[in-house]
Amino acid sequence: MTVRRDFEEPARCRPDLVIGREELFAGAREQLADGGSVLLHGPAGIGKSTVLRALAADNAAPTRTVLRCSATESESHLPFLALADLLGLVVDDVSDRLPAAQRTALESALTGRGESTLQRDGLALRLAVLSVLRALATEGPVLVVADDLQWLDPASAELLGFAARRLGDTPVQLLCAVRTEGQEYDRHLRALPPDSLAVRLNPLTRTQVSTLLDHRGYTGLPRSTVRDIHRTSGGNPLFALELGRALAEDPSPPRPGEPLRVPTSLRALVLSRLEMLSDEARRTLLVASAGARPTLALLHAAGRDNAESETAQAAALGLLATEPEGPAVRFAHPLISAALYAEAPAQERRAAHAALSTAASDPIERARHLALAASGTDPRVAAQLAEAAAQARDRGAPSVAASLGLLAARHTPADGVPGPDERRLQAAEDAITAGEVDLARDIAREVLTRATVPADRVRAWMVVIESAGHALGDVDAVFPQALADAGEDPGLLALVHYQLAWRGLVVQGDFAQGREEAAHAAQLAARAGDRRTELLALAFQAQAETLMGHPDAPATIKRALREPQEPQVACHHNGPGLARFRWLLMSDQLTEARTTVTALLREVRRRGMVESEVHFLRLLAETELRSGHCGRALDLARESLRMARDTGIGTVASALLTSFAEASGGDVDRALALAREALEHAEEDGDQMYVSRALAALGHAQFVAGDAPGTVRSLRRVRELEQGLGITDPARGRWHGDLAEALVQIGELAEAQDVVDVTREQALRLGRESVLAVVDRAEALVRARRGQHESSLGQLTSAQDRLGKLGYGLEEARAAFALAALRTRRPGPTSYDEAARLFRRCRALPWLRQAEATAVAPPPEPVSVPAPTLDALDGLASMERQVAALVMEGATNREIAGRLFISVKTVEATLTRVYRKLGIRSRVDIVRLAAGRRTK
């Protein structure tokens, strides 16, 4: 029997849409699936009811009977009301199974007929509820769903708790939600069976709040606004949604420096308590709400002489959190502060800021209050704010600098020097540094609507381009306008050509063009005396040359590292420091690379350079991954990805690096999902470089997952893309070993050998020792498949030793894994001990599981591939016969191309047709055909 539902589950309550609660939802669902009970608890508005409904809907299918109640505060005084909600529709179906005394007592309690009370009929009522639940459970599982447990009338709560403690193995589960502050939920567990799971719903993170707002349709909010919503709501989803709704409906959003306006729906939650304050205490709290870090000393300095008693009064009403240690005045919830400020008249707010402009000890804070206390333009106030913005910038607080800069622009007269637009553009550049790209773009677009000075216009165009990130194709039309505004000015042209270098790389996928544009930008910047742009252009040129395998790369890096340096450029994620790091990493100098990127990360954190922090976190993770520290790499990569998604900066790069880290040390399915996500976004952006890198991440994840054909498909595309991009340094992507080994697994030995040969030639030219060791490992597997057992063992042993000495722990472990498979035809537990030890040392969990599984698995059956007859060669075209004949002689694809005066690609295409016509899979079958032998 299933009780008719009293509401339809809305789509947003589906489990897959319980935003920010995925882990706790999974834990609660598992508890219910195992037959247990669950108590959800947390403060008002935190999302308990949403999760409760989602869990109830998710658990409805296996449940025979669902009993529901949802109490309210206004009805909590009515005895047995919740019991009537739970049992009213089902009691008649089982009442004939109850003893007469229990049936009479329960009927009296549920209908209100008679004078049933717990004092008079306590035992009969308790036993009756327990009997009803047991009777219902004989027909199938029972789920009791109770929301707002704190408002259950005491009688119903007592009866439910009595039954719950005595159900034992009876298939009755309770799913309840209760409003609590802090961790005080123990007493509510008495209404549930023993060993119930208590799940606290904590505030959402900023990223989760952003996702929630997007899901509910509030999608046009800048990231800086989402940050303010998160701060004001305290991560409470109900409060965040109300703030988002109010902002979406408000045609005039708050100006920079002003707190969010709190809608009436939320003010009502706290205004009743505010009305209980005395007028003087309310004024004191208004000053506290206007301050950034209010203390009793600050309140005294601002003229609030009775701050102690007035804050004590507020604390007694629950408006302030008590702080027995320390002088801070802290509101119980950020919403209280915001509602108090929003409710105050504008004149009182300005008075509060005026008092704080003299009371605050920090010059930045004094300047902010001075601006919010003033109205209209004022050169003195504007200059003070601009100075405060510079101080914030120097302190590593670019977000504060951007806010102060906008305030300075507002108070700057139209004919001021510098002008208001110049100050706005500085604020936009600070916003870029802080990772608030939406704010920066909006400022620049506003400036462009009225600016006529070429320098201001070009500077604004640069902000628009910077804020596009890797989606440069979206702002392609900006470049001609920027060039036109730059005219013949070398300094302005340098800025545009530097961005054109990025366009050449990202949009057109042409490293050579990007390098040329960067070199031109460096020359123009040097002529104009713009050292900052010159350094950035040289750093770009150096990185492009490094990836291209260009011989000038070391010299360009040295030019980029020459003095004078600009401190902020030196640690910028596109600056000379990064160029040096990339060179060190690709040259197998892992220790020096780690030291370099760690120092860069420390410096950008000190300066508040959010975008650079995202990138350097990812690059440090990459360094640890190369070194075989998979656990550390995974932690760093996940942190980078969280930060990237929170700021909207570098999400593709962080997702694909996290995919590599997950495949090496975490969850392979997660690695596959992240790689596909990165690939989708890179293709949407039209970023050929990151399409290549995302495919490499996907191919690696597929290889670890055991999908050799998928690996080959992905990495063949990478090979084609990198040839088109002009990338010749195999240390850039390091996908070559995966491709060669996957080709061996599917029997394409000729192509695998060709990958090895081409990669080895490039690595020898550039001195990439680790790449040479990896391709030796792959070639050893090719030799093993061709029956060259002894030479493959020697080659693998050498590769493992070299990789270990170079510090590539995971690659060393992979060589040991391959070696174990070759040393014996019947692998046993001891064959893989060394590989398992090395994988364990690296915390390479997916690889460790493979090694342990292979150690106990039976040896694979040999694969038999039928071979064609010699007569089949007669059916080939002339060029196909020539290529096949040279393969029979043992020539490589490159040698065949040279002798027949055709390209290597033509050789590969011709061999593909030969394989198809002859019904074979690789060049080794052609060699066997020439020897007159059939494959076994």
Side-chain angles (χ1 to χ4, degrees):
M1 173 184 67
T2 301
V3 177
R4 181 178 59 83
R5 303 292 191 270
D6 56 357
F7 64 89
E8 291 293 327
E9 297 291 345
R12 66 175 182 270
C13 293
R14 295 204 314 270
D16 59 329
L17 294 180
V18 182
I19 294 166
R21 312 297 190 191
E22 292 81 6
E23 289 188 16
L24 66 84
F25 186 89
R29 182 168 54 185
E30 184 178 350
Q31 170 81 355
L32 292 168
D34 292 341
S37 297
V38 173
L39 175 68
L40 306 171
H41 65 99
I46 203 68
K48 302 180 298 297
S49 297
T50 299
V51 177
L52 182 88
R53 289 194 295 268
L55 285 168
D58 193 60
N59 208 58
T63 303
R64 170 70 176 173
T65 304
V66 179
L67 308 175
R68 299 179 186 274
C69 71
S70 182
T72 63
E73 184 177 11
S74 62
E75 299 171 340
S76 60
H77 66 285
L78 300 174
F80 306 120
L81 182 62
L83 188 68
D85 288 341
L86 287 171
L87 304 182
L89 296 178
V90 298
V91 69
D92 290 343
D93 298 318
V94 296
S95 60
D96 56 343
R97 303 184 220 174
L98 272 59
Q102 294 180 24
R103 184 168 59 249
T104 300
L106 184 59
E107 180 181 338
S108 177
L110 294 180
T111 62
R113 293 193 296 270
E115 292 292 330
S116 180
T117 65
L118 279 179
Q119 286 73 25
R120 191 180 72 184
D121 301 319
L123 181 59
L125 270 174
R126 288 175 171 86
L127 293 175
V129 173
L130 180 60
S131 297
V132 168
L133 292 175
R134 284 174 172 166
L136 291 171
T138 60
E139 300 178 6
V142 176
L143 178 66
V144 177
V145 181
D147 199 1
D148 283 318
L149 205 60
Q150 75 277 3
W151 302 134
L152 248 66
D153 61 273
S156 296
E158 169 61 26
L159 292 171
L160 189 61
F162 176 87
R165 292 189 293 272
R166 288 163 176 80
L167 286 169
D169 295 332
T170 306
V172 176
Q173 299 169 267
L174 275 72
L175 172 59
C176 304
V178 62
R179 181 187 301 179
T180 58
E181 297 296 335
Q183 297 290 330
E184 298 175 2
Y185 60 89
D186 291 354
R187 63 188 180 90
H188 297 289
L189 281 172
R190 289 179 296 181
L192 277 75
D195 301 324
S196 293
L197 176 67
V199 178
R200 177 168 179 79
L201 275 68
N202 290 313
L204 300 180
T205 66
R206 193 195 313 181
T207 303
Q208 291 164 349
V209 165
S210 177
T211 303
L212 177 66
L213 292 168
D214 288 345
H215 176 61
R216 297 299 175 89
Y218 308 129
T219 55
L221 301 174
R223 294 186 185 279
S224 55
T225 302
V226 173
R227 178 198 61 198
D228 291 342
I229 290 175
H230 176 256
R231 183 175 60 240
T232 304
S233 69
N236 185 297
L238 173 64
F239 299 168
L241 286 171
E242 284 298 298
L243 289 167
R245 180 187 58 77
L247 279 167
E249 295 173 355
D250 189 348
S252 56
R255 295 184 297 181
E258 293 183 347
L260 294 178
R261 297 171 190 141
V262 180
T264 305
S265 58
L266 293 184
R267 292 188 203 181
L269 295 175
V270 295
L271 288 181
S272 58
R273 283 181 287 171
L274 288 172
E275 290 171 357
M276 300 172 68
L277 288 171
S278 66
D279 290 342
E280 290 301 311
R282 185 165 180 158
R283 290 191 186 95
T284 295
L285 257 63
L286 175 60
V287 174
S289 71
R293 294 172 296 277
T295 63
L296 288 172
L298 179 68
L299 294 175
H300 278 298
R304 308 310 303 167
D305 297 334
N306 298 316
E308 285 89 350
S309 61
E310 289 160 357
T311 54
Q313 180 188 351
L317 292 171
L319 296 168
L320 294 179
T322 56
E323 295 282 356
E325 306 289 337
V329 175
R330 186 168 63 85
F331 285 89
H333 192 281
L335 185 66
I336 297 173
S337 173
L340 175 65
Y341 189 92
E343 189 70 11
Q347 184 176 356
E348 289 188 16
R349 288 191 225 171
R350 286 197 295 270
H353 285 296
L356 288 168
S357 70
T358 58
S361 59
D362 184 81
I364 294 176
E365 190 66 10
R366 284 200 304 270
R368 185 179 75 87
H369 289 302
L370 183 64
L372 294 173
S375 59
T377 60
D378 186 330
R380 183 184 63 85
V381 172
Q384 203 166 336
L385 284 164
E387 176 60 28
Q391 291 178 351
R393 198 176 304 119
D394 291 341
R395 289 184 188 180
S399 180
V400 175
S403 177
L404 291 169
L406 288 175
L407 287 172
R410 189 199 309 169
H411 290 285
T412 301
D415 58 352
V417 179
D421 281 345
E422 189 172 347
R423 282 179 166 153
R424 287 188 183 92
L425 289 170
Q426 179 61 65
E429 290 162 358
D430 287 330
I432 287 281
T433 302
E436 298 179 10
V437 292
D438 292 341
L439 175 61
R441 183 189 58 245
D442 292 345
I443 295 170
R445 293 288 189 188
E446 180 192 351
V447 169
L448 285 165
T449 60
R450 58 175 175 270
T452 57
V453 178
D456 287 349
R457 291 188 62 80
V458 171
R459 197 172 168 189
W461 288 127
M462 295 305 100
V463 171
V464 171
I465 293 170
E466 285 277 358
S467 64
H470 282 272
L472 287 178
D474 294 346
V475 293
D476 217 25
V478 165
F479 290 96
Q481 299 177 68
L483 282 169
D485 285 331
E488 300 298 323
D489 187 313
L492 299 180
L493 285 170
L495 294 172
V496 181
H497 281 281
Y498 172 65
Q499 295 296 345
L500 282 170
W502 282 105
R503 179 183 177 276
L505 176 61
V506 172
V507 178
Q508 296 181 296
D510 191 334
F511 267 82
Q513 181 178 345
R515 173 183 175 270
E516 290 174 7
E517 290 284 4
H520 186 41
Q523 292 170 0
L524 289 166
R527 196 193 321 163
D530 181 357
R531 184 62 173 161
R532 181 182 187 277
T533 302
E534 182 187 7
L535 288 170
L536 287 171
L538 285 171
F540 181 101
Q541 181 183 344
Q543 289 198 70
E545 289 172 351
T546 298
L547 296 175
M548 294 167 67
H550 197 284
D552 290 348
T556 307
I557 291 173
K558 287 181 181 178
R559 285 177 61 201
L561 292 171
R562 284 179 193 156
E563 296 295 339
Q565 289 285 323
E566 284 205 359
Q568 191 158 350
V569 176
C571 64
H572 192 273
H573 60 277
N574 289 322
L578 177 67
R580 179 173 182 271
F581 161 78
R582 181 61 66 188
W583 176 264
L584 290 169
L585 191 66
M586 294 175 67
S587 301
D588 300 323
Q589 300 177 62
L590 296 181
T591 301
E592 293 86 346
R594 181 185 295 107
T595 301
T596 298
V597 74
T598 301
L600 289 167
L601 179 60
R602 187 185 308 116
E603 181 64 13
V604 298
R605 280 175 166 166
R606 187 184 73 80
R607 291 178 174 274
M609 298 167 66
V610 175
E611 183 173 7
S612 294
E613 182 179 354
V614 172
H615 288 289
F616 288 138
L617 268 173
R618 185 185 74 251
L619 295 173
L620 180 56
E622 182 180 352
T623 308
E624 298 294 358
L625 196 58
R626 297 275 179 89
S627 303
H629 305 152
C630 299
R632 170 73 172 149
L634 185 58
D635 290 342
L636 288 165
R638 286 173 174 171
E639 183 182 354
S640 172
L641 183 58
R642 282 194 298 270
M643 196 170 184
R645 286 178 169 165
D646 192 24
T647 59
I649 295 169
T651 51
V652 172
S654 293
L656 67 88
L657 193 279
T658 308
S659 172
F660 276 115
E662 291 282 0
S664 299
D667 185 295
V668 180
D669 289 337
R670 171 106 174 118
L672 289 165
L674 283 168
R676 291 187 176 111
E677 173 192 330
L679 178 59
E680 180 182 352
H681 287 301
E683 289 177 334
E684 286 176 1
D685 291 342
D687 188 336
Q688 294 303 301
M689 182 176 66
Y690 273 101
V691 167
S692 167
R693 295 184 67 182
L695 281 167
L698 178 59
H700 180 71
Q702 289 168 323
F703 186 81
V704 179
D707 179 9
T711 302
V712 170
R713 285 193 300 273
S714 296
L715 298 185
R716 275 176 176 163
R717 282 189 63 194
V718 175
R719 195 180 189 192
E720 293 171 4
L721 283 168
E722 290 205 351
Q723 286 175 348
L725 287 165
I727 297 173
T728 61
D729 193 333
R732 181 256 187 182
R734 296 178 181 267
W735 46 265
H736 313 75
D738 287 346
L739 175 56
E741 291 182 32
L743 287 165
V744 170
Q745 291 180 19
I746 66 172
E748 295 288 352
L749 301 186
E751 187 180 350
Q753 186 64 55
D754 183 62
V755 171
V756 167
D757 292 341
V758 173
T759 306
R760 178 180 287 128
E761 180 183 338
Q762 295 168 337
L764 282 169
R765 177 173 60 85
L766 298 167
R768 305 302 192 221
E769 294 296 329
S770 62
V771 176
L772 289 169
V774 167
V775 296
D776 276 357
R777 183 184 70 204
E779 187 175 50
L781 299 180
V782 175
R783 288 180 173 178
R785 285 290 294 268
R786 287 174 171 165
Q788 302 167 14
H789 191 70
E790 292 304 319
S791 64
S792 66
L793 283 174
Q795 195 171 18
L796 267 177
T797 303
S798 171
Q800 180 184 346
D801 181 61
R802 286 148 55 205
L803 288 165
K805 289 177 179 176
L806 288 167
Y808 286 80
L810 181 56
E811 299 293 355
E812 176 193 6
R814 286 181 60 178
F817 187 27
L819 196 57
L822 294 183
R823 278 182 171 154
T824 175
R825 293 186 178 182
R826 289 193 170 273
T830 59
S831 304
Y832 291 90
D833 285 352
E834 174 68 1
R837 181 185 69 81
L838 292 173
F839 285 138
R840 197 173 290 112
R841 184 183 70 182
C842 294
R843 285 183 60 191
L845 302 183
W847 287 102
L848 177 61
R849 287 190 286 269
Q850 282 192 43
E852 292 174 342
T854 307
V856 298
E861 294 294 328
V863 178
S864 177
V865 181
T869 64
L870 284 167
D871 294 339
L873 295 176
D874 296 336
L876 299 178
S878 173
M879 176 61 75
E880 293 166 352
R881 282 199 303 272
Q882 291 181 64
V883 170
L886 289 171
V887 169
M888 291 176 185
E889 294 176 13
T892 66
N893 286 8
R894 189 169 295 278
E895 290 168 344
I896 294 170
R899 291 170 66 174
L900 296 180
F901 302 102
I902 58 177
S903 69
V904 173
K905 282 190 174 181
T906 301
V907 175
E908 293 172 349
T910 303
L911 277 173
T912 300
R913 293 195 299 273
V914 170
Y915 298 157
R916 185 173 63 251
K917 289 182 179 181
L918 297 182
I920 60 178
R921 296 190 301 176
S922 68
R923 62 164 55 209
V924 71
D925 294 323
I926 298 178
V927 175
R928 287 172 176 162
L929 176 62
R933 293 183 286 110
R934 297 185 65 85
T935 53
K936 302 297 183 184

